[in-house]
Amino acid sequence: MSDINDQVRKGVAQLLPRLRRFGLALTGSREDGDDVVQGAVANALSRPNLWTPGARLDGWLFTMMQDLWRDEVRRRKASGTKAAATIAGADKSVDGRRVTETLLMLAQTRERFARLPDEQRMALALVVIEGLSYRDAAEQLDIPVGTLMSRLSRAREALRTMIDEDSRPPLMKSVAGE
């Protein structure tokens, strides 16, 4: 096996947890996220010569995942099915008030995150979840750093607004016409 094949195989194995997180953030569901990860890994392992040694392997795989997801969304739109935009609820069978509250909060956070526009969700996923620098995230998305910062700002503000709206008492929501 060639050196590049070994590098790609080892690198992919090390990146799997990050790829799964990114897949979930990208698609909004574990199932779709895993499908996108599987597709990207299969592509990378079947054609490792397309990767440039010395380039960021994670960036190459993230780009593949984005391309695969865009193709899947287009395919679903063309076939008349709606792309999955919600994440399965948290496991409610676990006992304990604290654990239940934590799981509910996590489900709410995932649902809010999934409601963000794709470009905001991608920016937030790369910077906040994956820990990329603004420069690296902007490069990954092929946008200027200023555009990335704007998307991050809008995403954070949208999340704050969702949290504020969701935390308002029901009476206040009815008065506000919601």
Side-chain angles (χ1 to χ4, degrees):
M1 189 173 294
S2 73
D3 187 42
I4 195 166
N5 288 357
D6 287 340
Q7 287 178 3
V8 170
R9 285 182 190 280
K10 289 176 184 173
V12 166
Q14 291 173 343
L15 288 170
L16 278 176
R18 290 183 59 207
L19 296 175
R20 290 198 71 219
R21 282 193 309 266
F22 187 72
L24 175 61
L26 176 66
T27 65
S29 85
R30 277 192 169 80
E31 296 80 19
D32 288 334
D34 285 346
D35 288 347
V36 168
V37 169
Q38 182 178 0
V41 168
N43 288 344
L45 295 179
S46 67
R47 293 180 293 233
N49 56 318
L50 296 178
W51 175 66
T52 305
R56 291 183 60 131
L57 184 60
D58 60 349
W60 184 55
L61 290 162
F62 289 161
T63 299
M64 256 193 262
M65 290 169 66
Q66 290 174 58
D67 292 344
L68 287 167
W69 181 241
R70 273 190 218 105
D71 292 346
E72 177 63 16
V73 169
R74 281 189 207 112
R75 186 191 64 74
R76 288 179 184 185
K77 282 181 182 176
S79 69
T81 59
K82 183 178 177 186
T86 59
I87 300 171
D91 181 5
K92 311 285 189 295
S93 66
V94 178
D95 289 337
R97 182 179 180 174
R98 189 173 187 179
V99 172
T100 302
E101 287 173 353
T102 301
L103 290 172
L104 288 172
M105 187 169 50
L106 179 59
Q108 288 174 335
T109 302
R110 286 180 175 162
E111 187 272 329
R112 289 175 185 136
F113 187 77
R115 287 178 10 208
L116 292 172
D118 289 345
E119 58 275 349
Q120 291 177 15
R121 195 171 62 244
M122 298 308 321
L124 209 54
L126 289 173
V127 173
V128 175
I129 297 172
E130 291 304 318
L132 295 181
S133 69
Y134 285 6
R135 183 180 53 80
D136 289 343
E139 187 176 295
Q140 178 63 43
L141 295 171
D142 196 29
I143 58 175
V145 173
T147 301
L148 174 80
M149 292 170 63
S150 177
R151 288 180 185 178
L152 287 170
S153 176
R154 287 194 313 269
R156 289 174 176 143
E157 183 57 34
L159 289 173
R160 273 191 288 275
T161 300
M162 286 183 227
I163 290 167
D164 289 346
E165 288 173 356
D166 291 347
S167 64
R168 261 194 278 168
L171 180 58
M172 292 300 291
K173 289 181 181 178
S174 66
V175 170
E178 296 173 18

